[in-house]
Amino acid sequence: MILRRLARPLLASIFISGGINALRQAEGHAEAAKPLLDSTVGRYADKLPAQVPTDPVTLVKVDAALKIAAGSLFALGKAPRLSALVLLGSLVPTTVAGHPFWAEKDEQAKQQHLVHFLKNLGLAGGLMIAAADTHGKPSLGWRAKKAAQVASKQAQSIQKSAGKQAQTWQKTAEKQTRKARKRAKQLTN
C-alpha cells in the first residue's frame, strides 16, 4: 500500500538522523545519558559479563547504530514490525535520559523538555501501530485459530466418512455372513 511506503520513511527519518547525530557527537550524548546509565547499567556493571559495554560513550554508539540500522530497515519496509520494536526499545531510554522535564528547575527548559518528551511519546505510538501492522492480513493468532477450525472440520469430516464406510463394510460383512450361512445350510441338507 502506498501509505506504508510513504509513512515508514517519514517515521524512520527522525531515528536515522538522530542516530547519525549521536554517532557524530557521542560524548555529548553520553554526558546527557550518564545519570540514567549510572542508575541502571552502572548499578550492575560488576555483575555483567566483560563483553557487555557499560561506559556511556560506547552505549550511546551502540544505540545510535541500532537507530540507524533499524530505521533504515523500517524505511525500506524490510522486517518492519521487528525494526519498529527495536526503534521503540531504543526510544524509551533515549526519551527518559534526554528529556527529564520533571527534574528541570528552569521553567523554559522544563517546557522544552516536555515538548520533546511528548513528541517522543507520539513517535512511540506510531511505532506501536507499525509493530502491530499486519499489512491488512489477519493476525497470527487469528490465522492459527482459523487453521485449527479448518483442521477440526476436516477431522470431523474424515471421522464421519470413516464411520459411514465402517457401516457400509459392516452391512456388507453381515450380508456376506448371511449368504455364507444360507449356503452352508443348503450344503448340509
Side-chain angles (χ1 to χ4, degrees), residues 101-115:
F101 67 90
W102 55 90
E104 277 296 331
K105 304 291 184 232
D106 178 35
E107 199 57 41
Q108 187 174 4
K110 185 175 193 166
Q111 189 61 35
Q112 282 294 329
H113 280 300
L114 179 60
V115 166

Side-chain angles (χ1 to χ4, degrees), residues 109-149:
K110 185 175 193 166
Q111 189 61 35
Q112 282 294 329
H113 280 300
L114 179 60
V115 166
H116 288 293
F117 187 88
L118 293 173
K119 173 203 57 145
N120 285 3
L121 285 182
L123 289 171
L127 290 170
M128 286 181 201
I129 290 171
D133 182 22
T134 59
H135 298 264
K137 297 175 188 169
S139 70
L140 186 59
W142 184 90
R143 287 186 278 173
K145 184 177 176 182
K146 190 68 172 174
Q149 289 173 345

Side-chain angles (χ1 to χ4, degrees), residues 44-164:
Y44 305 103
D46 56 332
K47 296 177 185 174
L48 294 172
Q51 297 84 0
V52 177
T54 56
D55 68 291
V57 174
T58 304
L59 290 173
V60 165
K61 288 179 180 179
V62 168
D63 182 62
L66 278 173
K67 283 180 179 158
I68 294 168
S72 298
L73 288 172
F74 187 71
L76 296 171
K78 305 293 181 191
R81 296 176 74 189
L82 177 62
S83 56
L85 285 173
V86 170
L87 291 171
L88 181 62
S90 174
L91 181 63
V92 171
T94 300
T95 302
V96 173
H99 307 296
F101 67 90
W102 55 90
E104 277 296 331
K105 304 291 184 232
D106 178 35
E107 199 57 41
Q108 187 174 4
K110 185 175 193 166
Q111 189 61 35
Q112 282 294 329
H113 280 300
L114 179 60
V115 166
H116 288 293
F117 187 88
L118 293 173
K119 173 203 57 145
N120 285 3
L121 285 182
L123 289 171
L127 290 170
M128 286 181 201
I129 290 171
D133 182 22
T134 59
H135 298 264
K137 297 175 188 169
S139 70
L140 186 59
W142 184 90
R143 287 186 278 173
K145 184 177 176 182
K146 190 68 172 174
Q149 289 173 345
V150 167
S152 175
K153 285 182 181 179
Q154 287 175 342
Q156 289 173 354
S157 175
I158 290 170
Q159 187 179 22
K160 188 176 180 181
S161 176
K164 286 182 181 179

